Structure formats: structure tokens, C-alpha cells
Amino acid sequence: MTSPANTSATPYGTLPPSSTPSTRKPISLPRLREMQAHGEKITMLTAYDATFAAVADAAGVECILVGDSLGMVCQGLTSTVGVTLETMRHHTECVANGLRRSQATAWLIGDLPFGSYHESKEQALRSAVVLMQAGAHMVKLEGGGWTAETVRFLVERGIPVCAHLGLSRRPCMRWAVTACRARARKPPPRSSARPTNCRTPAPPCWCSKWCRRRCRRN
Amino acid sequence: MLVLEMVPAALSAELTKELAHCATIGIGAGGGTAGQVLVLHDMLGMNLGKMPKFVRNFMEGPDNKTASVRGAMEAYVRAVKDGSFPVNATHAW
């Protein structure tokens, strides 16, 4: 077992030495793809600061999400609407620092907060660059079919993107006005369950439209 | 990558099958997805309100022998890898 040279005790807590998965290589997109192909489950946890991120990395968690849920968890807000890009940048940087001081093997995903990608795909690119420069390996954004063009724009420019479908914690989103409920409960007709054109970097568009339609009926 | 949040288990399993080139990560979406995500504070039981149905407190239980945060995370990783979390009947719709 080797311990990273820069792991050191601090007066207020010690970041963990490399231990359990010490031989783990840094998680990459090809590795995640390989895991999916082999049916190995991918584990992800949220983290908002250096210590929790480092412990999660040492515990063998593959992906760490700096979620905009930090609005509720860290800032005491009632939804994620009040979370700004600057807050996300700060916490992404904290988590990235924590990972660098432990094994730095986890895949780090930063949430693009409300309003940071809604205006245009160019705005989304600028916001994504802020999170990538803070240490994120991938950005995540919420929304339905309208985000497809943005996702494609970012992916083409080398920014890995994680899309999101289902419940939104942003109450202003029309299809999430109802409380915390499961989304799209009714099974789709067989014909619409078959995406015909999802080889693009933005496959979710077909079903998000479908989800929204279903949810309005609820 | 695509996060499916509180999407019914049957639908998320079907999506996972259809999107072979895109890893689906579920939260409250059943065990049929390529991966799982939980909010850290929820799975550590740091929640004074109503715990969402899809969360398991990994600080408790025999799996977390050291009763530590790291033990809880390791128990979570083990449970997801071996398919014992989530249970479709209790943690999904």
C-alpha cells in the first residue's frame, strides 16, 4: 500500500491515506462505459466539501456529484433555485481539492445551477467552463428536450455532460409543480417507447417530452 | 450519462436497455439502472425531515461494522454492487 506524498495531518481533521481501493485507476469515461458493458453497477454519491469527497473516494465510490442539492443541504434553502454558479464553482473546487489530496480517482461531476444554461448554449458553455476549470470532469444539467441542443453543443466541444430526467427540485419548472412524486408512472405505448434517433449525444429528448406530457396529466 | 430521478423502475430499466451507449444513474428509479446515486446526508441519516422512500440509512445496520461515515459509504458501494440496494419493492415506484 502506498500513501500519497501530499497526504498530511491537518489540525482540523486528516484526509484519509490511500487504502481500500488503492490500486484503483482514476475513473474515466471509457472505464464507466466498460463497467456498464460488463453490468458492473456504478456508484455515485453527492459531496460538497473536501473531506467528505476524499472519504467517499477512499471508500470506493466511483462518481462524486457536487449537486445543486447543496442549496438545501448546505445553504438551508427550500429549493435549488437560489444556488448560483459562483456557489457551485466554490464547492466544486473544494471537492476537487479534497480528491487531489487523497487518491484523486473518483469521477467528479458538477451541477450547472438554475439559470446558468437556460439563456443560450453559449451561456451553457461559459458556465460549464467555470466548473471544468474548478476541477469538474463532467457537468450535469436538468431539463427536458429543450436541453438537447445545449447537450450536443457542449459534447461537441469536449465537455462531457450528464443529463437528467424525472423529478426536479426546481419548483418553477412547470412539470414539477406538484410535490415530490414519481414521474411518468404510466407505461408508454410500445411505439413511443422505442427511440428512433438517439445516437446523438442528446438521447433523452424523446422521453423527456413524453415525461412532461404524462406529468401534466397527473 | 443520464440521471433518472424518481422514474418508475420498469421505465428506467427499459431506458437503460435502450440507451446502451449512455450510463443511466438512478435515484428512486429501481435497480435496473446502470448505477445509483444518493444524497450523502440522506444515506448518512442526517435528515430531520421525512426520509424519502428511496433512501437507506447506511449508518445503521450490520453492514456498517465500524459505524463510521466511511463504513457507511463502503456498505453503500457493496450494496449497490451486489444488487441488494435498491430493492424495487421498497425503494422505487
Side-chain angles (χ1 to χ4, degrees):
Chain A
M1 197 192 301
T2 54
S3 65
N6 57 354
T7 296
S8 58
T10 65
Y12 308 112
T14 307
L15 289 169
S18 170
S19 53
T20 317
S22 58
T23 53
R24 185 169 86 166
K25 285 186 190 160
I27 303 291
S28 59
L29 276 181
R31 172 72 188 126
L32 291 171
R33 223 166 272 145
E34 185 187 293
M35 288 176 71
Q36 187 186 12
H38 291 111
E40 188 188 342
K41 296 285 182 186
I42 299 165
T43 55
M44 186 190 292
L45 275 181
T46 65
Y48 315 105
D49 64 33
T51 305
F52 272 120
V55 176
D57 189 20
V61 176
E62 276 108 13
C63 303
I64 292 178
L65 171 65
V66 187
D68 59 2
S69 50
L70 68 83
M72 287 86 104
V73 175
C74 303
Q75 296 182 296
L77 303 175
T78 51
S79 82
T80 57
V81 173
V83 180
T84 64
L85 183 61
E86 172 52 25
T87 305
M88 291 309 302
R89 188 206 61 77
H90 171 72
H91 285 268
T92 303
E93 197 171 75
C94 294
V95 167
N97 287 342
L99 292 180
R100 265 195 292 275
R101 289 191 54 193
S102 62
Q103 303 189 104
T105 57
W107 181 254
L108 176 50
I109 305 167
D111 249 345
L112 286 173
F114 182 67
S116 70
Y117 59 93
H118 297 64
E119 187 184 320
S120 64
K121 47 192 201 300
E122 289 79 11
Q123 186 208 17
L125 177 66
R126 283 194 298 276
S127 303
V129 166
V130 169
L131 296 188
M132 299 289 279
Q133 288 179 340
H137 301 126
M138 176 183 252
V139 297
K140 177 172 152 293
L141 50 81
E142 274 184 22
W146 66 271
T147 60
E149 202 189 336
T150 303
V151 172
R152 188 177 294 112
F153 188 79
L154 295 179
V155 169
E156 283 170 356
R157 281 149 186 81
I159 297 176
V161 178
C162 178
H164 176 277
L165 285 177
L167 181 79
S168 169
R169 307 280 171 179
R170 296 169 187 166
C172 50
M173 288 206 168
R174 196 168 161 194
W175 44 287
V177 170
T178 49
C180 194
R181 290 165 62 175
R183 303 290 112 182
R185 289 194 210 207
K186 291 175 192 165
R190 197 64 199 158
S191 56
S192 70
R194 293 269 163 200
T196 51
N197 184 26
C198 60
R199 287 176 201 285
T200 63
C205 49
W206 68 276
C207 50
S208 52
K209 267 186 200 158
W210 175 81
C211 287
R212 274 184 296 177
R213 213 161 47 227
R214 292 279 158 184
C215 290
R216 280 194 204 126
R217 281 184 209 160
N218 281 343
Chain B
M1 194 175 272
L2 171 65
V3 168
L4 300 172
E5 186 163 1
M6 290 175 77
V7 170
L11 178 58
S12 59
E14 189 168 344
L15 280 170
T16 304
K17 219 178 293 165
E18 299 280 358
L19 302 173
H21 59 293
C22 173
T24 55
I25 308 291
I27 174 163
T33 52
Q36 295 293 327
V37 60
L38 278 182
V39 170
L40 176 72
H41 294 61
D42 286 347
M43 60 83 79
L44 296 178
M46 293 168 72
N47 189 334
L48 294 175
K50 189 183 162 202
M51 194 68 103
K53 167 178 163 173
F54 52 78
V55 174
R56 180 188 290 175
N57 181 353
F58 284 90
M59 283 299 276
E60 297 168 344
D63 254 9
N64 185 1
K65 290 191 182 68
T66 53
S68 64
V69 167
R70 179 163 173 171
M73 290 177 182
E74 286 170 349
Y76 167 71
V77 171
R78 275 196 302 274
V80 171
K81 297 278 182 198
D82 68 20
S84 59
F85 177 84
V87 179
N88 279 2
T90 49
H91 299 120
W93 285 267

